[in-house]
């Protein structure tokens, strides 16, 4: 894969080239004049207005559209060369068969971007690598299948830790409602993965964080023993589990605690969102992909 990232893309858009591109499709000069005024409106830095002679202000609703107009030339160039590629904003992945081809494509496309489009390729973030070593929008390709990248999974684990903290006054119901709001969006984005176990890993981590929270809420060991017994754990097993040197995190993964608070309890009682295998099967059914393409 040829992974190309553009350096300070939004800051380097050439106004004259962009307006010329727009003129080919927009014949109302008032619209072109308005776009030009927006591009040259300037930015406020420490209370001082600074003119913008190039670039498009990030955060402006017009900027993503204008950036695609600029990079449409890159798309057309790649299509003309018969290359398979995927681009989102200023991040592009080009797929080739050999490392030698990748080196040739990288050199020629870099020249096109810098000479023709007047943009700069970020040397530090651009690379030639095997598909499983490249992440694109949080995804990667492993042996021809789509997977969530390791970096995205690690970031999700950190997010779960931030959302489910042991030392808070939130009830378990409030905690799961908070995590569900995040996980609903996250799983919808990443369920394109062809490795459902990746989603199950996050769901299991959520449950373990909640189990650890339940354990830590019991200030005295005898209270935790009583709670486990009430939840169906034998007195012998509960006592052996609690009266040890295990810390909270280790205890949250014991048979006694998992028996008292099984996976089904989190879904049925607390309402934890579970991305079922059936839902994933819908995503990868032939009918779904025919509609998508």
């Amino acid at each position: 894969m040829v992974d190309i990232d553009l350096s300070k893309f939004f800051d380097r858009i050439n106004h004259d080239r962009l307006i010329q591109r727009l003129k080919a499709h927009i014949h109302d000069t008032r619209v072109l004049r308005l776009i030009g005024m927006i591009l040259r409106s300037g930015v406020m830095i420490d209370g001082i207005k600074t003119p913008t002679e190039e670039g498009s202000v990030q955060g402006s609703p017009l900027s993503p559209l204008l950036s695609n107009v600029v990079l449409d030339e890159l798309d057309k160039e790649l299509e003309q060369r018969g290359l398979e590629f995927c681009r989102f904003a200023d991040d592009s992945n080009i797929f080739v068969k050999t490392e030698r081809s990748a080196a040739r494509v990288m050199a020629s496309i870099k020249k096109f971007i810098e000479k023709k489009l007047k943009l700069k390729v970020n040397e530090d973030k651009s690379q030639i690598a095997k598909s499983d070593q490249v992440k694109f929008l949080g995804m990667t390709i492993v042996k021809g299948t789509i997977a969530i990248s390791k970096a995205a999974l690690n970031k999700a684990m950190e997010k779960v830790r931030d959302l489910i903290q042991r030392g808070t006054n939130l009830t378990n119901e409030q905690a799961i409602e908070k995590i569900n709001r995040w996980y609903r969006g996250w799983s919808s984005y990443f369920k394109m993965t062809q490795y459902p176990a990746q989603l199950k890993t996050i769901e299991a981590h959520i449950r373990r964080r909640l189990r650890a929270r339940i354990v830590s809420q019991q200030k005295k060991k005898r209270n935790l023993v009583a709670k486990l017994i009430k939840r169906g754990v034998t007195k012998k097993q509960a006592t052996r589990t609690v009266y040890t040197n295990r810390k909270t995190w280790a205890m949250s993964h014991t048979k006694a605690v998992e028996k008292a608070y099984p996976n089904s309890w989190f879904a049925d009682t607390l309402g934890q969102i579970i991305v079922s295998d059936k839902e994933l099967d819908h995503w990868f059914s032939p009918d779904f992909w025919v509609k998508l393409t």
Side-chain angles (χ1 to χ4, degrees):
M1 289 177 67
V2 178
D3 182 17
I4 296 178
D5 184 84
L6 301 181
S7 177
K8 298 181 180 179
F9 168 64
F10 285 95
D11 296 335
R12 296 176 187 264
I13 293 176
N14 186 287
H15 292 173
D16 293 335
R17 292 198 78 260
L18 175 57
I19 295 299
Q20 287 300 318
R21 290 281 295 170
L22 293 172
K23 277 184 178 180
H25 303 280
I26 301 173
H27 303 296
D28 191 333
T29 56
R30 294 172 300 175
V31 175
L32 294 171
R33 190 180 303 113
L34 179 59
I35 293 173
M37 288 171 63
I38 293 172
L39 290 172
R40 295 186 293 272
S41 60
V43 293
M44 191 75 74
I45 302 175
D46 297 328
I48 301 174
K49 184 180 178 182
T50 303
T52 47
E53 297 178 356
E54 63 177 1
S56 180
V57 179
Q58 293 193 48
S60 165
L62 190 61
S63 292
L65 175 61
L66 296 179
S67 68
N68 273 329
V69 171
V70 172
L71 292 178
D72 182 61
E73 287 187 81
L74 175 60
D75 296 343
K76 293 293 191 293
E77 179 68 16
L78 294 174
E79 288 173 357
Q80 188 175 349
R81 297 186 186 193
L83 294 169
E84 295 182 359
F85 68 96
C86 186
R87 180 182 66 79
F88 183 83
D90 59 338
D91 194 3
S92 301
N93 282 178
I94 306 169
F95 307 89
V96 293
K97 292 182 178 180
T98 67
E99 188 174 354
R100 186 176 178 181
S101 298
R104 185 172 63 251
V105 169
M106 173 66 91
S108 60
I109 293 301
K110 179 185 174 184
K111 184 178 179 181
F112 174 83
I113 290 172
E114 296 186 345
K115 298 293 185 183
K116 183 76 180 288
L117 302 185
K118 309 298 183 185
L119 298 170
K120 181 75 174 175
V121 173
N122 190 325
E123 299 284 356
D124 295 331
K125 293 185 178 181
S126 299
Q127 62 174 328
I128 293 171
K130 296 282 189 180
S131 62
D132 58 0
Q133 297 172 353
V134 176
K135 65 179 187 294
F136 183 68
L137 304 179
M139 309 297 290
T140 190
I141 299 175
V142 181
K143 296 181 180 179
T145 54
I146 301 171
I148 304 171
S149 70
K150 186 177 180 180
L153 282 174
N154 290 339
K155 191 174 181 180
M157 291 289 195
E158 292 175 6
K159 184 68 176 180
V160 172
R161 186 167 60 250
D162 292 339
L163 290 174
I164 307 177
Q165 298 179 3
R166 296 178 205 168
T168 65
N169 296 322
L170 293 177
T171 64
N172 291 326
E173 289 76 14
Q174 290 172 328
I176 201 67
E177 182 181 354
K178 190 176 179 182
I179 198 75
N180 277 346
R181 281 199 298 268
W182 165 77
Y183 188 64
R184 184 179 289 108
W186 189 91
S187 61
S188 294
Y189 179 87
F190 283 106
K191 66 184 177 183
M192 187 179 289
T193 177
Q194 291 175 275
Y195 294 89
Q198 292 184 305
L199 297 176
K200 299 301 181 187
T201 298
I202 301 300
E203 292 167 4
H205 188 58
I206 291 170
R207 288 190 290 270
R208 187 171 180 185
R209 291 290 303 181
L210 288 168
R211 287 190 184 103
R213 192 170 181 272
I214 291 170
V215 169
S216 67
Q217 286 173 341
Q218 309 308 311
K219 302 304 179 185
K220 296 183 179 180
K221 290 187 176 183
R222 67 170 180 267
N223 293 345
L224 180 57
V225 170
K227 200 170 188 67
L228 294 178
I229 293 172
K230 187 177 179 180
R231 295 285 308 165
V233 180
T234 64
K235 183 177 181 180
K236 183 178 180 180
Q237 187 180 20
T239 303
R240 282 185 174 180
T241 300
V242 175
Y243 287 98
T244 62
N245 293 324
R246 292 190 187 97
K247 300 297 183 181
T248 300
W249 184 245
M251 197 176 295
S252 68
H253 195 43
T254 58
K255 290 182 179 179
V257 174
E258 289 180 347
K259 181 179 179 180
Y261 299 96
N263 295 354
S264 57
W265 182 81
F266 292 95
D268 300 338
T269 305
L270 293 186
Q272 181 193 7
I273 292 176
I274 304 294
V275 180
S276 66
D277 292 335
K278 184 177 180 181
E279 190 174 358
L280 287 171
D281 288 342
H282 160 72
W283 270 76
F284 294 104
S285 67
D287 291 341
F288 174 81
W289 288 106
V290 166
K291 292 176 182 177
L292 187 67
T293 53

